[in-house]
Amino acid sequence: MNELIILLFFIAAFISILVGTVAGFGMSTILLPIAVIFMDFKTALVLVAITHLSGSLGAATFFRQGLDKRLILLFGVPSVILTVLGAYIVIYVPQNILTIILGIFLLLFSIYSLSHPDFKINAGKLNNIIGGSLSGFLQGFMGIGGPLRGYFLISCDLDKTTYIATLAIIAILIDITRIPIYLNTNLLGAQFYYLIPPLLVIGVLGSYTGKKIVNRIPQSTFKKIVLVAIGLASLLLIYNGIHSVI
């Protein structure tokens, strides 16, 4: 890759980390389609995952005061376990219809939540396990779990710091599970290793900038921003599902 392409990729990585930190999800959704313009899919998958891990580590560090060990245990652990299960059965079930259904579900509920600001899900033990399991399964099965995790946690009426910290820790758990597999199966050629250090730095810088923005956003406004982001992500899911059918 020439210098201009590398620069554009780095800029896209920074913006995606920034958006992903503020919304709590969406970094891979933004960066992966851009990355495949510049490189093959396997290379893009690994580099995006490494960037995602760096950004999540930064977010978890900068929002560490919001870490809730009980929530991470009840929501995060089932999410990681079901991610593996979803990945194993992905070849047996058609995904396009489920993608459309998930998109419609998230769109309707984001609209409902925006029009009913007092709506929230009881953040009890059972609901946390169900929410984590379902979002983790969809992450492994469809490659998309962030919007559903984001919707569930923001609907539990978590404060913005706990919301971002929880999603960041879950993302870290998933990334440290999948990245070694990618590297052990040689998905990333040695000629791209030089991109890893700057991407790690970009991940931290993007999450730090995101923290500065989040600190300036009132809690009520933050929840609306997340719900709008979920609505936009749901439209993308619906489009991709319909496009794959056609």
Side-chain angles (χ1 to χ4, degrees):
M1 295 192 295
N2 61 44
E3 289 81 1
L4 178 59
I5 290 178
I6 294 174
L7 177 61
L8 292 174
F9 178 56
F10 285 166
I11 292 173
F14 177 82
I15 294 174
S16 65
I17 286 290
L18 175 60
V19 173
T21 300
V22 174
F25 67 92
M27 178 269 178
S28 297
T29 304
I30 297 171
L31 186 56
L32 188 57
I34 296 175
V36 296
I37 298 175
F38 304 131
M39 61 195 74
D40 66 273
F41 177 78
K42 292 180 179 179
T43 299
L45 184 65
V46 181
L47 292 178
V48 169
I50 291 171
T51 309
H52 190 269
L53 174 60
S54 177
S56 298
L57 285 169
T61 301
F62 299 134
F63 292 92
R64 60 186 178 278
Q65 65 272 26
L67 291 176
D68 185 329
K69 294 180 181 179
R70 179 179 179 277
L71 182 59
I72 292 170
L73 179 65
L74 293 177
F75 191 93
V77 173
S79 183
V80 174
I81 294 174
L82 269 292
T83 295
V84 177
L85 176 61
Y88 273 114
I89 69 170
V90 67
I91 61 174
Y92 300 109
V93 183
Q95 299 180 23
N96 45 17
I97 302 300
L98 290 178
T99 300
I100 297 173
I101 293 173
L102 176 61
I104 293 173
F105 170 82
L106 289 173
L107 179 61
L108 291 176
F109 273 84
S110 61
I111 293 173
Y112 179 84
S113 296
L114 283 169
S115 60
H116 296 77
D118 295 331
F119 172 77
K120 64 179 181 179
I121 295 174
N122 179 23
K125 180 178 179 180
L126 180 60
N127 283 343
N128 281 323
I129 293 175
I130 292 174
S133 299
L134 183 58
S135 61
F137 175 77
L138 291 175
Q139 180 74 56
F141 181 63
M142 302 168 60
I144 299 172
L148 184 59
R149 280 195 298 272
Y151 174 76
F152 182 86
L153 291 177
I154 202 66
S155 298
C156 289
D157 206 29
L158 300 178
D159 68 88
K160 57 187 179 182
T161 302
T162 302
Y163 168 82
I164 294 175
T166 301
L167 286 175
I169 290 295
I170 294 171
I172 290 170
L173 293 174
I174 292 175
D175 286 339
I176 62 176
T177 300
R178 62 175 177 148
I179 289 176
I181 297 174
Y182 293 160
L183 296 177
N184 287 336
T185 52
N186 298 315
L187 292 186
L188 184 67
Q191 68 270 29
F192 294 104
Y193 284 179
Y194 74 98
L195 294 174
I196 295 178
L199 286 175
L200 293 175
V201 174
I202 288 171
V204 175
L205 291 176
S207 58
Y208 178 76
T209 306
K211 177 183 183 296
K212 292 296 185 181
I213 294 175
V214 170
N215 286 344
R216 295 176 176 270
I217 301 174
Q219 177 67 28
S220 58
T221 304
F222 176 79
K223 183 173 182 179
K224 292 178 182 177
I225 291 174
V226 173
L227 289 172
V228 169
I230 292 171
L232 293 174
S234 68
L235 291 174
L236 181 61
L237 286 173
I238 295 171
Y239 171 80
N240 289 337
I242 294 175
H243 182 71
S244 64
V245 172
I246 298 175

